Amino acid sequence: MNLRLPIFLVFVTSFAFAQEISIQNTNPTTLKWYEIKTPNFNILYPQGFDTQAQRVANTLEYIREPEAQSMGVKPRRISILLQNQSSVSNGFVTLAPRRSEFYTMPPQNYNFIGTNDWLSLLASHEYRHIVQYQRSVTGFNKFVYYLFGQNALSVVAFAAAPQWFWEGDAVATETAFTKSGRGRIPNFGLLFRTNLMEGRTFNYDRQYLRSYKNNIPDHYVFGYHMITYLRNRSNDPDIWEKITSRSWRYPFIPFGFTRSVKKETGVSVSKLYQEMADSLRKSWDADIKEQSLTKFKTLNRRGHHDGYMDYEYPQPQEDGSIIALKTGIGQIAKLVRIKEGSEIAQFVIGPYNDAGMLSAVDGRVVWNEYRYDPRWRVKNFSIVRGFDFGSRDRDAISKKSRYGSAALSPDGSKVATVESTNEYQQRLLVLDYSSGAVIKTFDNPENFMISMPRWTPDGSAILVNRLTKDGKTISTFDYNTGQVRDVFNAGNENVGHPVMSPDGKFILFNSPFSGIDNIYALDIATGKRYQVTNSKYGAYNPSFTFDKDWIVYNEQTRDGLDIVSTAFEPSLWKDASVVATPEDHFYDKLVTQESHPDIMKGVPESKFPTNKYNRLKSMINIHSWGPFFESDVTRADIGVQSRNLLGTMNVNAGYLFDINERTGNFHANVSYQGLYPVIDAGISTGKRESKTSIDNNRDVKFTWDETTVTGGLRIPLLLTASRFNTTLTVGNVVGVTQVSNFRNQVTRDEGSGATKRTILVSSGTDRIISLNDSIRFIYDNQIGNGTLLYNQFTFSFSNFLKTSRRDFNPRWAQLLDVELYNTPYSGDFKGSLAAFRSALYFPGLAKHHSVILRGGYQTGTDGFEVNRYSFRNRIGRPRGFTYPRDTEFTSLSFNYALPIWYPDINLGPVVNIQRLRANAFYDFGQSGGRTYYYDIKNNSVLYQAINRRYDSVGAEFTVDVNVMRLLPQLDLGVRVTYANPEFLKTLNPTAPAGRVVVEFVLGTLNL
């Protein structure tokens, strides 16, 4: 049996039928949708996006067969959603329901998009994922799909092939079929190349699953090199189809993918990786063996414990300092000001939209950040932000804009930026720094893609990259006249980050001309080109010191991008005409095998019919069925799931079996998320059972039939507007529970061992249970026959500082949850409960250490009336204790969490241990309330006051592990708790003897 299947089933179906369906990424209700139906695709797009929707439709139909050929399938019809309300540049293909979504705002970073049109690149990459999914429907996978639907197919498909295959194959496809896929861009594999050449040839598990100790590129980079190397090695374009089809046919065979690789290649997947790494390292070593590398001076200092760190986009200032963006494996993105190697000031930025550049003048910096519509998760913005290191003023220069990149004018009063409209139109704008008002708009009638603007030293023009039909150019926009002048026609050469020298004679820019990214210079007067740097791994982002004597730029090193300087001396530059360029490339065979090196050139311009999209007709879209488990694996569900393509209607229905109670109920839940408040409704009906003990040897079992109907509203808000991720959700639910056939059964155990037997003492329909002839116990945990009408109000607020890869807790965070239950409506039962939970996170004594303070308070119904209803406990209790609920409870907790070790140890292919961490804690609890008894003889109510204190101390030791080479991590561990510790006896003298409790801990799933 393949252990990966049940593990992934738990992951994927964790919250399959939770009563509150999670918030989907939806668009504003007012957005009108249209549809193009081609022979093989349904293209859904918002009003105003018609031209680009037609182009996407033609592109997908045109590439459909060529891109699928090496996988041996022709995918069935699928829906493509073109999301034009978002400022995030992204795309994905997914199941449940089956669809692809293109986020259509083009990125500004030239090392991401290359010389491709954004929608064309998305079409090539995402369509290959569609092909992969279709190919995975084979053998046992097909059986799983028909039996359980799309959720289950996703599980087995991803379990049977590693994620590096999925993304690596898609990157290889975009590289083979377009003129500038990521495999052709040296920066894409920069970190991989640096690690290998610096002797960091990690083993297969570490290279794929990554590390907290070393900075290792993600599975896109790793996968591309694996996919391409084997296709080069075998010279067989179908080699990966042969490997994956076997593993997808039999996903239940342990390590089926690895076995399939060995069968097709004769070596294991780990040895194939070592072959690939050795081959690339030898090739790269040969490339630079005879090179004379540029000498430079490093301007930043690194700490001994920084780990991998980048100091990107250096901007020299008039006072001799340098402003740069600092990021790393253990460092969230922040702006730093460096002088004489030391960081003299810093500013942590918000959600960063990386345009591949930074601009700073006289201590003032501008960049791009994301902002979000509070309610609609697909609608977001890219604004221009500013910060002044001198005055410490921070400014949102624009609001609700779609601006990519930002460049300050030489006097710091204006900002050049690029706007991408919702209709996929681009234009160059100039903003006033103080007001954010648009003071200049440049025409772009051809809608060429514009990126990376930068002012000339005298402020008379703006230098940009332009992507035209003939390739990429470096161009200038005259500020006064708006006239466009092409300075350098680069064609398919992926040039970027153009800047003009202080004397106005040269334009410096980045280019992969030699096969390695370096800085080049263009003599504007003569048109002659020179190589300025000769780097071992890569040189980027040139700028100039104010004395005009030095070029400051980024140099890739073993531990990240450094800020370095070299003399601004044109006489030392190398004529580009004599620079050696690579005769062959890693991707050449890949391109030859597919035989469509620039497939987008041939895309036709057919006109497909367009219709308004019928939302009502498409509300129900059943995608999965069969059994599911909830996250605690105590309830099993057999039912169906439905989600419409726009994510506005979510429905689930089925039969839910409670494993602990051994009872079941039929249920249906619906969540409509197309309005500002989310509307949730649910109904369930079935049998219930509860057990309790009333003395040492008597047990009571309650059984009843229960039908519950709920309906409510939620307003989930995303309020992130800085370095903190902030959310707020307010909701209210009204519920009606009808209880019938309520019965109790009192039993008593007699004898012991083999003679032990259970005797029926009494049964009935009352909530008052006999203890003896004169005293009866009033059971307060369950209503009897009748109707309960209740109201549930919820309030949830969270505010987290963003985290780095090494952070498992935020350095700063605040959380507050409030739940209020009561019965203000007519009904047979009355009750109330108020619960408050909070948490505060603070930095610890060292980096990545955390202090966490948690608190909770709960108070509920008290009294002896028979029609009293007690709601379930809603706050956590001190660790190490189990006991029934109390009317009133206060809890406090102190935690100190820290990483201990980054071992990067793998136990064969079964377990890979990346990190060991610990958490020391002290928990406190104080309970209050009463237990009530009815005295028949005296016709009075007796009660026993509850006033207990709970103390526990202990430690948790957890490991972050990958199981069966699956990329998502689990944190597993053990908790040792000392309950009622002896050293606290003076504070709690009535506490029973201390005891040690050892528990297994299953934490979170780290995706």
Side-chain angles (χ1 to χ4, degrees):
M1 178 180 181
N2 189 346
L3 294 178
R4 292 188 287 185
L5 288 176
I7 290 171
F8 248 115
L9 281 169
V10 172
F11 292 169
V12 173
T13 63
S14 297
F15 304 99
F17 288 104
Q19 288 185 351
E20 182 178 289
I21 299 174
S22 62
I23 298 301
Q24 303 292 333
N25 290 335
T26 52
N27 281 285
T29 307
T30 55
L31 196 65
K32 296 180 180 179
W33 286 85
Y34 291 82
E35 182 178 27
I36 296 173
K37 287 191 175 182
T38 74
N40 298 287
F41 301 92
N42 297 336
I43 313 295
L44 276 63
Y45 65 93
Q47 186 178 24
F49 210 71
D50 308 65
T51 301
Q52 304 307 326
Q54 290 284 348
R55 183 161 69 90
V56 170
N58 277 280
T59 300
L60 289 170
E61 283 291 344
Y62 187 69
I63 69 174
R64 178 175 176 266
E65 291 192 14
E67 281 208 7
Q69 184 175 351
S70 62
M71 273 287 164
V73 292
K74 294 181 180 179
R76 62 186 180 88
R77 175 180 291 275
I78 189 172
S79 295
I80 312 292
L81 278 70
L82 303 181
Q83 301 281 12
N84 75 337
Q85 300 296 300
S86 174
S87 295
V88 176
S89 305
N90 200 5
F92 64 85
V93 178
T94 189
L95 301 181
R98 181 175 177 265
R99 70 194 188 281
S100 178
E101 297 190 19
F102 293 6
Y103 285 68
T104 60
M105 181 166 168
Q108 284 280 299
N109 194 332
Y110 77 105
N111 274 323
F112 181 25
I113 191 172
T115 60
N116 279 313
D117 168 79
W118 175 238
L119 289 179
S120 298
L121 181 62
L122 276 178
S124 179
H125 183 96
E126 302 305 335
Y127 177 67
R128 184 61 173 191
H129 286 317
I130 295 171
V131 174
Q132 294 164 344
Y133 271 119
Q134 188 66 52
R135 189 65 189 89
S136 73
V137 185
T138 183
F140 184 77
N141 279 11
K142 183 183 287 189
F143 170 75
V144 169
Y145 169 66
Y146 285 122
L147 195 60
F148 303 120
Q150 294 177 18
N151 256 336
L153 174 62
S154 179
V155 169
V156 293
F158 272 96
Q163 283 181 259
W164 64 254
F165 162 76
W166 294 81
E167 294 301 346
D169 180 60
V171 172
T173 299
E174 74 182 51
T175 301
F177 283 88
T178 72
K179 58 186 179 181
S180 182
R182 276 170 284 183
R184 299 176 187 242
I185 299 174
N187 183 264
F188 175 70
L190 176 66
L191 179 56
F192 185 62
R193 178 174 183 148
T194 303
N195 283 344
L196 287 184
M197 295 184 70
E198 290 290 337
R200 292 172 173 168
T201 309
F202 309 116
N203 62 31
Y204 169 81
D205 293 271
R206 195 167 171 187
Q207 188 69 62
Y208 169 39
L209 303 172
R210 305 184 71 189
S211 167
Y212 293 109
K213 182 190 298 182
N214 300 108
N215 197 25
I216 297 175
D218 62 21
H219 53 287
Y220 287 74
V221 176
F222 177 61
Y224 164 72
H225 286 91
M226 288 287 285
I227 294 292
T228 305
Y229 175 74
L230 183 54
R231 287 188 61 166
N232 292 344
R233 180 184 189 266
S234 65
N235 202 26
D236 181 357
D238 304 328
I239 184 66
W240 287 107
E241 186 273 336
K242 296 171 184 175
I243 290 171
T244 54
S245 63
R246 183 178 291 106
S247 60
W248 278 327
R249 278 199 302 269
Y250 310 109
F252 48 83
I253 298 176
F255 306 107
F257 183 85
T258 301
R259 292 169 183 264
S260 188
V261 167
K262 188 163 188 177
K263 183 172 180 62
E264 293 296 332
T265 67
V267 297
S268 67
V269 68
S270 57
K271 287 186 177 178
L272 182 67
Y273 156 67
Q274 290 294 341
E275 267 190 26
M276 178 265 290
D278 291 342
S279 173
L280 286 175
R281 187 173 51 249
K282 289 177 183 177
S283 174
W284 291 333
D285 282 339
D287 288 342
I288 66 168
K289 192 172 183 180
E290 305 299 328
Q291 298 288 334
S292 176
L293 301 179
T294 302
K295 294 180 180 180
F296 53 78
K297 178 183 178 181
T298 302
L299 304 180
N300 59 276
R301 294 178 188 153
R302 295 181 176 274
H304 293 298
H305 304 290
D306 283 348
Y308 190 95
M309 193 81 70
D310 285 330
Y311 293 84
E312 296 184 273
Y313 317 128
Q315 296 291 290
Q317 303 300 291
E318 193 168 4
D319 66 354
S321 66
I322 297 172
I323 293 173
L325 179 70
K326 182 179 180 180
T327 60
I329 190 172
Q331 175 63 59
I332 59 176
K334 65 179 180 180
L335 300 172
V336 292
R337 192 168 192 170
I338 299 171
K339 195 166 187 178
E340 296 178 355
S342 300
E343 295 178 19
I344 60 173
Q346 64 178 27
F347 177 73
V348 178
I349 64 176
Y352 180 51
N353 181 7
D354 187 2
M357 61 177 289
L358 195 67
S359 178
V361 173
D362 196 23
R364 178 178 286 180
V365 198
V366 290
W367 69 98
N368 299 100
E369 284 186 7
Y370 292 114
R371 288 295 181 269
Y372 307 94
D373 183 281
R375 171 63 181 88
W376 308 110
R377 299 298 169 91
V378 173
K379 187 176 179 64
N380 50 62
F381 311 97
S382 179
I383 70 166
V384 175
R385 282 213 62 189
F387 177 72
D388 194 311
F389 273 98
S391 66
R392 304 299 293 181
D393 290 338
R394 59 197 74 185
D395 301 287
I397 298 170
S398 66
K399 297 179 180 179
K400 295 187 176 181
S401 56
R402 291 170 57 88
Y403 297 157
S405 71
L408 280 168
S409 60
D411 62 1
S413 66
K414 298 184 286 292
V415 181
T417 188
V418 177
E419 180 184 45
S420 293
T421 70
N422 296 111
E423 292 76 29
Y424 204 70
Q425 299 295 308
Q426 283 208 335
R427 53 185 182 176
L428 180 66
L429 306 178
V430 176
L431 313 177
D432 178 73
Y433 181 91
S434 298
S435 67
V438 177
I439 57 178
K440 188 82 173 180
T441 301
F442 296 90
D443 293 332
N444 182 23
E446 305 92 342
N447 197 31
F448 293 149
M449 295 294 104
I450 302 171
S451 63
M452 312 192 87
R454 188 78 68 174
W455 293 81
T456 57
D458 60 3
S460 64
I462 301 171
L463 202 62
V464 300
N465 278 341
R466 286 203 308 164
L467 184 61
T468 71
K469 293 180 180 180
D470 298 322
K472 186 174 281 191
T473 67
I474 296 175
S475 308
T476 59
F477 282 78
D478 187 280
Y479 182 73
N480 294 314
T481 67
Q483 182 179 358
V484 182
R485 174 176 169 237
D486 291 339
V487 181
F488 177 61
N489 293 309
N492 196 45
E493 185 180 335
N494 189 34
V495 299
H497 204 279
V499 296
M500 187 173 286
S501 62
D503 59 12
K505 294 181 179 180
F506 298 95
I507 293 175
L508 273 65
F509 54 90
N510 301 339
S511 171
F513 181 72
S514 68
I516 294 174
D517 285 314
N518 273 296
I519 297 170
Y520 291 81
L522 179 77
D523 187 318
I524 298 174
T526 66
K528 197 168 184 179
R529 182 179 179 186
Y530 301 91
Q531 184 180 20
V532 178
T533 66
N534 193 18
S535 174
K536 184 176 183 180
Y537 304 127
Y540 302 90
N541 312 323
S543 56
F544 297 89
T545 58
F546 267 75
D547 61 14
K548 306 177 184 180
D549 293 334
W550 300 91
I551 301 171
V552 177
Y553 64 97
N554 280 135
E555 176 79 15
Q556 175 67 22
T557 72
R558 172 187 176 90
D559 295 317
L561 287 169
D562 274 338
I563 302 172
V564 303
S565 65
T566 191
F568 177 36
E569 183 53 68
S571 62
L572 300 178
W573 298 345
K574 187 177 183 179
D575 191 324
S577 63
V578 299
V579 173
T581 57
E583 297 180 0
D584 50 37
H585 307 85
F586 186 55
Y587 52 80
D588 284 344
K589 281 189 179 180
L590 191 71
V591 175
T592 301
Q593 289 168 7
E594 297 293 359
S595 68
H596 293 87
D598 189 6
I599 197 171
M600 300 301 169
K601 271 190 175 180
V603 173
E605 298 181 1
S606 302
K607 185 74 172 177
F608 295 102
T610 298
N611 297 296
K612 192 170 183 179
Y613 182 64
N614 190 330
R615 298 193 194 199
L616 185 61
K617 183 179 177 182
S618 309
M619 280 292 182
I620 302 300
N621 180 27
I622 296 174
H623 58 74
S624 300
W625 46 89
F628 301 87
F629 288 92
E630 294 206 351
S631 55
D632 57 4
V633 201
T634 61
R635 296 200 291 176
D637 209 327
I638 299 178
V640 297
Q641 288 180 294
S642 170
R643 178 192 183 275
N644 67 337
L645 291 173
L646 298 181
T648 56
M649 176 68 84
N650 294 268
V651 179
N652 61 59
Y655 181 79
L656 182 68
F657 182 76
D658 191 303
I659 297 170
N660 289 335
E661 286 190 7
R662 298 186 180 278
T663 59
N665 66 73
F666 293 95
H667 68 91
N669 298 301
V670 60
S671 179
Y672 183 69
Q673 304 187 12
L675 301 176
Y676 203 86
V678 175
I679 302 174
D680 298 318
I683 184 171
S684 65
T685 183
K687 293 187 176 296
R688 295 291 309 280
E689 179 181 296
S690 180
K691 295 179 181 180
T692 190
S693 297
I694 58 175
D695 56 25
N696 290 334
N697 68 340
R698 298 193 192 197
D699 294 317
V700 183
K701 181 174 76 173
F702 299 91
T703 61
W704 67 97
D705 295 334
E706 181 178 283
T707 299
T708 298
V709 178
T710 61
L713 302 177
R714 282 181 290 160
I715 302 179
L717 302 176
L718 178 62
L719 304 177
T720 299
S722 69
R723 59 191 179 185
F724 286 88
N725 300 316
T726 308
T727 62
L728 172 66
T729 300
V730 179
N732 197 81
V733 173
V734 176
V736 180
T737 297
Q738 177 67 50
V739 174
S740 59
N741 298 322
F742 181 86
R743 297 189 62 82
N744 67 67
Q745 179 178 293
V746 183
T747 59
R748 181 178 70 240
D749 288 336
E750 293 185 350
S752 61
T755 63
K756 183 177 180 180
R757 56 181 180 163
T758 301
I759 305 297
L760 176 64
V761 176
S762 65
S763 63
T765 60
D766 205 344
R767 294 176 64 248
I768 302 178
I769 311 302
S770 294
L771 290 174
N772 52 48
D773 292 337
S774 60
I775 300 294
R776 294 182 181 181
F777 167 69
I778 300 178
Y779 177 63
D780 68 350
N781 285 331
Q782 177 58 50
I783 60 177
N785 291 327
T787 302
L788 169 71
L789 281 80
Y790 67 91
N791 191 85
Q792 175 191 357
F793 171 81
T794 57
F795 173 93
S796 179
F797 173 80
S798 66
N799 192 45
F800 288 86
L801 179 67
K802 59 184 183 178
T803 58
S804 70
R805 175 167 170 78
R806 281 185 177 172
D807 292 319
F808 54 88
N809 286 322
R811 287 173 56 80
W812 300 96
Q814 306 84 40
L815 296 90
L816 175 63
D817 289 301
V818 178
E819 293 185 74
L820 304 176
Y821 297 80
N822 57 17
T823 54
Y825 317 110
S826 60
D828 298 319
F829 304 95
K830 297 296 179 182
S832 66
L833 182 142
F836 305 87
R837 299 182 299 274
S838 64
L840 299 173
Y841 289 71
F842 302 96
L845 298 176
K847 204 168 185 180
H848 313 302
H849 290 210
S850 303
V851 175
I852 308 110
L853 304 179
R854 292 192 177 97
Y857 175 75
Q858 175 178 293
T859 181
T861 306
D862 194 8
F864 62 89
E865 296 85 358
V866 173
N867 67 345
R868 176 167 57 97
Y869 181 76
S870 297
F871 292 92
R872 291 183 178 181
N873 171 61
R874 302 301 299 164
I875 66 172
R877 303 301 178 90
R879 282 160 277 198
F881 294 98
T882 57
Y883 39 81
R885 68 173 302 280
D886 300 300
T887 303
E888 185 176 351
F889 200 90
T890 301
S891 67
L892 296 171
S893 176
F894 172 86
N895 300 262
Y896 191 93
L898 70 158
I900 296 177
W901 186 28
Y902 304 120
D904 285 331
I905 296 172
N906 59 287
L907 307 177
V910 179
V911 175
N912 179 66
I913 302 173
Q914 293 201 32
R915 177 169 56 191
L916 172 64
R917 44 189 165 118
N919 178 50
F921 64 86
Y922 163 67
D923 288 354
F924 162 82
Q926 182 72 49
S927 67
R930 300 174 177 180
T931 299
Y932 290 90
Y933 300 90
Y934 180 60
D935 187 336
I936 299 174
K937 188 177 294 185
N938 298 312
N939 191 28
S940 62
V941 174
L942 307 176
Y943 67 85
Q944 178 181 352
I946 302 172
N947 188 10
R948 302 188 185 98
R949 173 173 173 146
Y950 303 88
D951 294 281
S952 63
V953 295
E956 298 164 334
F957 299 92
T958 56
V959 290
D960 294 311
V961 300
N962 306 96
V963 180
M964 304 292 287
R965 285 179 172 163
L966 295 174
L967 194 57
Q969 284 181 9
L970 283 172
D971 58 88
L972 310 171
V974 63
R975 176 190 298 143
V976 180
T977 305
Y978 188 10
N980 294 318
E982 295 296 326
F983 62 85
L984 291 178
K985 282 294 186 181
T986 55
L987 299 176
N988 192 14
T990 61
R995 57 194 175 89
V996 175
V997 180
V998 180
E999 302 168 280
F1000 175 74
V1001 177
L1002 172 59
T1004 57
L1005 172 65
N1006 307 317
L1007 298 176

